[in-house]
Amino acid sequence: MKLKNLAAVLIAAACAAGLAACGSDEPAAPAPAVTPSTAKAPAEISVFGEDSSDILFRIHEQNATAIIETVEERGGTPEQAVAALLAGQAETGWRSGLSLPAPAADISDIYGWRFAYNIGADSTDAVRAATYTFMDNAAAVNADPADPVAYALAVQHADEREYVEDDRYYKNGETPASEYAKAHPIAESAYTELRNAQ
């Protein structure tokens, strides 16, 4: 073989080896295929909180359940259940046995009245007893339950113990009307959540 031909063969072999080496590099990752997302949307946070194992979550859920069940036992409508829920939320945040605002030294039931039952103030039985009273008062009210805020306030005002608004909210300009209106969507959500869970 002539020297010229040998040089050409060696150059061609070197180029072929170089191309083979380049070709052995890992191929570029293909572009990801665009597919519709199958991931579920995050679940809505419960009106009772984010952690169902939390003690306050369980207390609030248990008390709200007791309110609904008691209203239903008394033949009440869903609107009346929502009204009872919002009254309890506005007055005590669904916690029975809370201290009343100063100057009172007593504790309150779930609707904000001085606690007078011969049972544990923070028990579910106390919530049921207070809700029986709420429903007793509801029987004397002409307000339309379709407006839960006005209805709940009318029921509270119908109580023979006399609902004194100044004894309920006094710190930052809150009024029963403003607090009950604020509690309304929370009560609606609680009712929907608990009834849809059945």
Side-chain angles (χ1 to χ4, degrees):
M1 182 178 279
K2 290 187 179 179
L3 191 54
K4 216 185 250 188
N5 289 343
L6 181 61
V9 169
L10 288 174
I11 290 171
C15 287
L19 287 174
C22 290
S24 70
D25 287 347
E26 291 183 21
V34 178
T35 56
S37 174
T38 56
K40 290 184 179 178
E44 285 188 30
I45 294 175
S46 168
V47 71
F48 304 111
E50 295 184 21
D51 181 3
S52 62
S53 66
D54 180 70
I55 186 67
L56 285 179
F57 182 108
R58 293 199 306 267
I59 289 170
H60 296 158
E61 183 181 48
Q62 185 175 316
N63 288 346
T65 300
I67 290 170
I68 293 170
E69 290 174 351
T70 304
V71 170
E72 290 172 347
E73 282 172 24
R74 294 291 298 270
T77 65
E79 292 82 8
Q80 287 176 305
V82 169
L85 283 170
L86 81 85
Q89 171 63 27
E91 297 287 349
T92 64
W94 292 324
R95 290 179 60 197
S96 186
L98 291 178
S99 295
L100 286 166
D106 295 330
I107 56 175
S108 68
D109 69 17
I110 203 156
Y111 297 108
W113 298 99
R114 280 177 175 77
F115 195 85
Y117 302 105
N118 189 24
I119 47 182
D122 60 352
S123 69
T124 306
D125 288 339
V127 174
R128 292 183 186 282
T131 306
Y132 285 134
T133 302
F134 184 92
M135 291 304 289
D136 289 342
N137 293 332
V141 166
N142 290 325
D144 184 359
D147 181 351
V149 172
Y151 182 79
L153 281 168
V155 172
Q156 289 281 68
H157 281 281
D159 197 295
E160 63 181 14
R161 292 171 286 187
E162 188 183 0
Y163 187 89
V164 180
E165 294 196 357
D166 291 343
D167 291 346
R168 301 288 180 135
Y169 304 100
Y170 61 97
K171 289 184 179 176
N172 299 308
E174 303 102 329
T175 65
S178 70
E179 295 307 294
Y180 277 52
K182 195 185 299 181
H184 183 198
I186 300 169
E188 292 277 7
S189 295
Y191 183 85
T192 300
E193 182 176 334
L194 292 172
R195 281 296 160 257
N196 285 348
Q198 288 186 334

